[in-house]
Amino acid sequence: MPELPDVEVFKRYLDATSLHREIAHAMVRQSRVLRCAPSTLRRNLEGERLTGTRRHGKHLFAAISNGRWLELHFGMTGHLKAFQKQEREPAHVQLRLDFTDGWHLAYVNTRLLGRLDVVHDPQAVILELGLGPDALDLDLGEFRELFEGRRGMVKPTLMNQDVLAGLGNVWTDEILFQARLHPETEIPDLSDDDVKRLFATMRRVLREGMEHGVDPEELPDGYLLVRREEGADCPRGCGGSVERITVSGRAGYYCPRCQPRS
DNA sequence: AGTACCACCTGACGGC
DNA sequence: TGCCGTCAGGTGGTAC
């Protein structure tokens, strides 16, 4: 689930529920998501407040009142859950902030594929991980440059976080479907018109995803992501049916009729 | 540089 | 009901 639109929704959720509240206690579960000692998390959070958030691709950073940042990555199954004292805590909580006013914020992650850390500087983390620009923080010219001198297929390229940060399997399929590009289209075969259309589609789809992604039912008509199964009717209503394809070891879905090979 | 494949974890789902 | 194989939207390493 957690790709750029989902992480942006988490960011807004954290902003709305957990900023400027004093952290009385931090419960840290020892697990592989931790990139630092549990005591480091506790020491940097207890008695402090979260004061703001930043997102880059699928990474979320929450500013701590001591000048450091809490880094959160959600892997495949991570999310945030705010709740009050009397509510039951969700399962698989890896980090829980207990605020002095009785509210809690939990980082929940079932499959433990994410990461939690306390860092000095988000920008340094982005550099260290070699992340490309955020998919919503570049203009057409910069987007065009991403493809220059590059070989390979468009789907794995868009999903490559070193090239462009934020797109995962599901939203990449969605963007390619709506831009009518076959997932295996070779980068050098993209026309300038294709690149322009891809850029505009990516921005629109990601924005719509952020506004409605929490509830796919609310997405505008014609979205592929609500029909990710072999043989489903093409959401665009072209009369074709959705097919499954494996690209770079990842299962992808597309409509061969709307997205012909070039 | 690009791609395929495995691994890391846990849970859901379908077949028997 | 239960066991087993398969698959899942992320990343990271290895080998070709």
Side-chain angles (χ1 to χ4, degrees):
Chain A
M1 188 222 286
E3 305 180 29
L4 188 153
D6 314 285
V7 177
E8 181 64 26
V9 169
F10 297 160
K11 175 186 192 305
R12 294 175 188 180
Y13 184 76
L14 193 157
D15 288 347
T17 61
S18 304
L19 293 187
H20 312 302
R21 298 176 192 266
E22 186 179 346
I23 301 164
H25 176 253
M27 187 287 289
V28 187
R29 201 183 126 192
Q30 176 70 58
S31 82
R32 54 177 268 116
V33 301
L34 296 185
R35 297 306 147 104
C36 60
S39 60
T40 304
L41 271 175
R42 285 196 297 271
R43 180 163 20 90
N44 280 281
L45 290 166
E46 291 178 350
E48 305 289 342
R49 295 157 195 270
L50 301 180
T51 60
T53 51
R54 280 194 51 193
R55 183 191 55 73
H56 185 100
K58 302 172 189 174
H59 285 259
L60 181 59
F61 298 93
I64 307 170
S65 48
N66 68 0
R68 299 203 179 177
W69 295 76
L70 174 64
E71 177 198 357
L72 306 106
H73 186 278
F74 299 92
M76 280 170 70
T77 54
H79 67 275
L80 297 175
K81 174 68 181 171
F83 58 99
Q84 282 185 286
K85 219 181 298 186
Q86 61 273 23
E87 296 175 65
R88 213 172 96 211
E89 177 174 319
H92 309 292
V93 170
Q94 312 300 329
L95 170 67
R96 192 190 65 231
L97 304 182
D98 303 329
F99 300 107
T100 52
D101 62 5
W103 277 90
H104 304 273
L105 178 69
Y107 167 90
V108 182
N109 198 329
T110 309
R111 287 178 60 190
L112 306 177
L113 299 178
R115 54 190 280 156
L116 283 179
D117 203 353
V118 173
V119 301
H120 289 276
D121 177 16
Q123 199 53 42
V125 174
I126 292 162
L127 278 176
E128 185 192 336
L129 294 172
L131 298 179
D134 183 83
L136 279 179
D137 190 26
L138 79 177
D139 59 28
L140 176 60
E142 292 162 330
F143 185 71
R144 206 180 260 130
E145 283 173 26
L146 300 180
F147 299 119
E148 278 171 17
R150 198 168 276 282
R151 298 179 291 114
M153 299 176 282
V154 66
K155 172 164 159 130
T157 303
L158 289 175
M159 285 176 63
N160 184 344
Q161 303 300 299
D162 298 352
V163 174
L164 184 66
L167 303 187
N169 204 15
V170 168
W171 289 96
T172 299
D173 280 358
E174 190 63 53
I175 291 161
L176 292 173
F177 171 69
Q178 298 204 26
R180 299 178 178 246
L181 288 171
H182 191 285
E184 292 181 313
T185 307
E186 295 287 334
I187 296 296
D189 293 341
L190 291 173
S191 68
D192 191 56
D193 196 56
D194 288 335
V195 174
K196 279 186 192 155
R197 197 173 68 257
L198 183 56
F199 180 68
T201 305
M202 176 181 79
R203 293 180 65 83
R204 177 179 54 75
V205 167
L206 290 178
R207 291 198 179 286
E208 289 175 350
M210 275 180 207
E211 301 314 319
H212 307 292
V214 228
D215 184 6
E217 297 290 304
E218 285 190 22
L219 286 169
D221 288 339
Y223 264 70
L224 174 67
L225 64 83
V226 292
R227 296 266 189 75
R228 290 177 67 81
E229 53 183 326
E230 180 108 38
D233 292 338
C234 168
R236 184 181 277 117
C238 77
S241 57
V242 174
E243 278 193 19
R244 184 187 144 113
I245 186 176
T246 301
V247 184
S248 279
R250 303 301 302 275
Y253 295 86
Y254 75 115
C255 172
R257 199 147 154 184
C258 293
Q259 299 162 264
R261 286 176 195 278
S262 51

